Amino acid sequence: MEKFLMNVEYYYELFQINSLFLKILYTLVFILSCLCAYNILFLIKKHFKRRKTQRRVAYLRREYFERIKEILLTEQVFGSSDFHNYLGVSSYDNGFKRELTNLILEIIDTYPQVNKKNYELLMEELKLKKFWEEELLNGSKKRKERALRKIKGLNLVIAESVIIPMTTIKNSILRRKARSLYIYISKNNPFKFFDNDFDDQFSEWDNIEIHEILSKKPQETIPNFIHWVQNHSAGEALKSFLVYEMGCYGQKEASPYLLKMIESSGMKLRQQIIRTLGVLQYKEAATFLMGIYPVQPSFIQEEILKTLGEFAQEDSLPFVENAVVTTHNVETKMQGLYTLLCFGESGKAIFEQLKAQAKPQELLAFEHVENPLNQRTL
């Protein structure tokens, strides 16, 4: 010990008598050495943690995957005692619940039709619902985001009081995910956030999440979205999404209102309205669409041609032919040619006639449309 103290004293005195440059250099070397040591220890710890998780996952998969799969897919309804005897789980911690959740999600993603009563028993007996609710209430931001994903994936119906506080927090990612999940779990007013434009940062990812959540709700609980589409305070992104959903749910009664909105709408919403009118087969829109066609940008013109192809009305055929002949935009011309083929034999005859009259440099568009590998779905 005395020798060690003497060495420390020696190096301290050496440090004191060195120049300022060397003092700074020694200090930097010491700091960098500490940082390197910390990073090495951190990586070692992370490595062993990952190995531990991998061993846990391998153990759970080996011991429980097939048993859980059997419980979920069998027609036999398990009781509580039968469940515990068959599964053979004696004790489990939070790590077990996280990894077990992943196994269950893997199974229900592969086999969507499971025994509902056994599934509810599994959630209850393994306390997965309670666990993810607590993660949502008390976890860090990262854990809360993960909990929202797992609750949605497991189709858990949690208490509204658990989710409501998260629908107004500052973190936009958590807030939007919570509002999407609220649509699924709420029994009172699930669509209330549509009244306030859902969120000022409504994104394409929100489109995907809400569409998936709507698909899980009984169809009779889906409202007519025209109320929010006509709401002047709603943003165009939300309106476009809702118009798309109107097509998915066949809300044909809203078609006249959509038609009236076309000229006053922004380009993104206008395009979606025209597309949805085709999906809803609102053929009364054809005359109006042909009337506004000349003053629209090319991508809107192409959408109009697609919709006229959906309608496939004989009296629209001369208009489509004229659109193909007069346009100088290659994409618009090709869309017009695709539309002609939607009119059956009469459209095919006009297509062949135009092809025979086409200049050599125009033939490529016809050949492209005729190629089976390039067939489009309107």
Side-chain angles (χ1 to χ4, degrees):
M1 185 65 180
E2 184 178 349
K3 186 176 182 180
F4 172 75
L5 292 175
M6 288 176 62
N7 286 332
V8 171
E9 185 179 358
Y10 168 76
Y11 284 112
Y12 178 76
E13 290 177 357
L14 184 65
F15 180 79
Q16 293 286 18
I17 63 174
N18 275 315
S19 66
L20 178 61
F21 172 77
L22 289 177
K23 288 180 180 179
I24 294 172
L25 181 62
Y26 293 153
T27 303
L28 288 175
V29 169
F30 176 75
I31 292 172
L32 288 173
S33 300
C34 290
L35 288 174
C36 288
Y38 173 80
N39 286 329
I40 290 170
L41 290 173
F42 175 79
L43 290 173
I44 292 172
K45 181 181 177 182
K46 191 174 181 180
H47 170 74
F48 282 106
K49 186 177 179 181
R50 188 186 300 114
R51 289 290 301 275
K52 182 180 178 181
T53 301
Q54 289 172 344
R55 286 195 297 269
R56 182 198 295 271
V57 171
Y59 169 76
L60 290 174
R61 179 173 291 278
R62 183 176 63 252
E63 294 293 325
Y64 299 110
F65 184 83
E66 290 300 326
R67 296 185 210 174
I68 293 173
K69 182 179 172 182
E70 177 65 24
I71 291 171
L72 293 178
L73 299 184
T74 184
E75 294 182 2
Q76 174 191 350
V77 176
F78 279 74
S80 179
S81 58
D82 293 334
F83 171 82
H84 283 287
N85 289 335
Y86 183 77
L87 193 59
V89 179
S90 55
S91 62
Y92 38 86
D93 58 12
N94 290 343
F96 179 95
K97 293 174 185 176
R98 289 191 188 94
E99 301 306 332
L100 198 62
T101 296
N102 293 333
L103 289 184
I104 295 170
L105 287 172
E106 183 180 335
I107 293 169
I108 63 177
D109 283 345
T110 307
Y111 307 97
Q113 301 300 323
V114 298
N115 186 315
K116 188 175 181 181
K117 290 185 178 179
N118 285 353
Y119 183 75
E120 291 172 353
L121 181 69
L122 183 69
M123 295 296 109
E124 186 65 29
E125 295 295 329
L126 296 181
K127 297 180 175 57
L128 293 179
K129 178 180 176 181
K130 183 180 179 182
F131 169 71
W132 289 114
E133 280 186 346
E134 290 176 352
E135 287 285 282
L136 205 55
L137 285 169
N138 305 315
S140 62
K141 288 181 180 179
K142 184 177 180 180
R143 285 164 58 193
K144 285 181 178 180
E145 185 179 352
R146 178 169 55 193
L148 286 170
R149 290 199 312 270
K150 302 303 182 184
I151 289 169
K152 186 184 79 169
L154 293 170
N155 297 326
L156 296 177
V157 179
I158 62 174
E160 290 184 36
S161 58
V162 175
I163 197 73
I164 282 177
M166 293 191 62
T167 63
T168 55
I169 61 176
K170 290 184 178 180
N171 186 294
S172 63
I173 295 175
L174 286 177
R175 183 179 66 243
R176 299 202 309 272
K177 285 183 178 295
R179 291 184 176 189
S180 298
L181 186 60
Y182 183 84
I183 294 172
Y184 177 68
I185 68 170
S186 176
K187 297 293 187 292
N188 300 316
N189 187 13
F191 303 99
K192 71 175 186 176
F193 293 109
F194 288 162
D195 294 332
N196 302 311
D197 196 22
F198 185 78
D199 195 275
D200 57 0
Q201 299 182 38
F202 192 79
S203 67
E204 291 296 328
W205 184 249
D206 294 320
N207 289 352
I208 297 169
E209 285 212 325
I210 297 175
H211 177 77
E212 183 182 351
I213 286 170
L214 290 175
S215 68
K216 295 179 179 180
K217 293 180 71 71
Q219 188 151 345
E220 61 271 15
T221 66
I222 302 296
N224 194 314
F225 296 116
I226 192 64
H227 164 71
W228 293 287
V229 173
Q230 291 182 311
N231 181 1
H232 295 296
S233 64
E236 187 167 287
L238 175 61
K239 287 183 178 181
S240 297
F241 166 71
L242 294 177
V243 170
Y244 168 78
E245 293 298 327
M246 291 168 73
C248 293
Y249 289 97
Q251 297 179 352
K252 295 184 179 183
E253 63 276 14
S255 299
Y257 302 101
L258 291 177
L259 185 63
K260 291 177 182 178
M261 291 179 61
I262 287 180
E263 288 192 290
S264 60
S265 301
M267 291 300 171
K268 180 179 180 180
L269 178 57
R270 185 180 307 180
Q271 183 182 30
Q272 187 59 62
I273 289 175
I274 294 169
R275 183 178 300 158
T276 299
L277 289 173
V279 173
L280 296 175
Q281 284 291 298
Y282 188 62
K283 297 182 179 181
E284 292 85 346
T287 302
F288 177 81
L289 294 177
M290 289 187 287
I292 66 170
Y293 179 90
V295 295
Q296 301 302 312
S298 59
F299 72 96
I300 298 292
Q301 289 181 337
E302 290 160 24
E303 205 62 58
I304 290 174
L305 291 172
K306 288 180 188 178
T307 297
L308 293 176
E310 292 278 8
F311 298 157
Q313 294 173 298
E314 287 292 323
D315 56 357
S316 301
L317 199 49
F319 174 85
V320 177
E321 178 184 2
N322 182 66
V324 173
V325 171
T326 57
T327 186
H328 298 289
N329 185 297
V330 175
E331 283 295 321
T332 306
K333 182 182 286 291
M334 284 199 296
Q335 182 54 61
L337 294 174
Y338 279 114
T339 300
L340 283 175
L341 297 179
C342 296
F343 286 80
E345 291 302 321
S346 53
K348 178 67 174 174
I350 294 175
F351 181 96
E352 294 297 340
Q353 179 185 336
L354 293 177
K355 181 180 178 182
Q357 298 171 353
K359 298 175 182 178
Q361 64 269 26
E362 296 175 332
L363 285 174
L364 186 60
F366 290 87
E367 293 169 358
H368 180 90
V369 171
E370 287 180 309
N371 190 327
L373 297 176
N374 297 325
Q375 293 303 303
R376 294 182 184 176
T377 54
L378 291 174

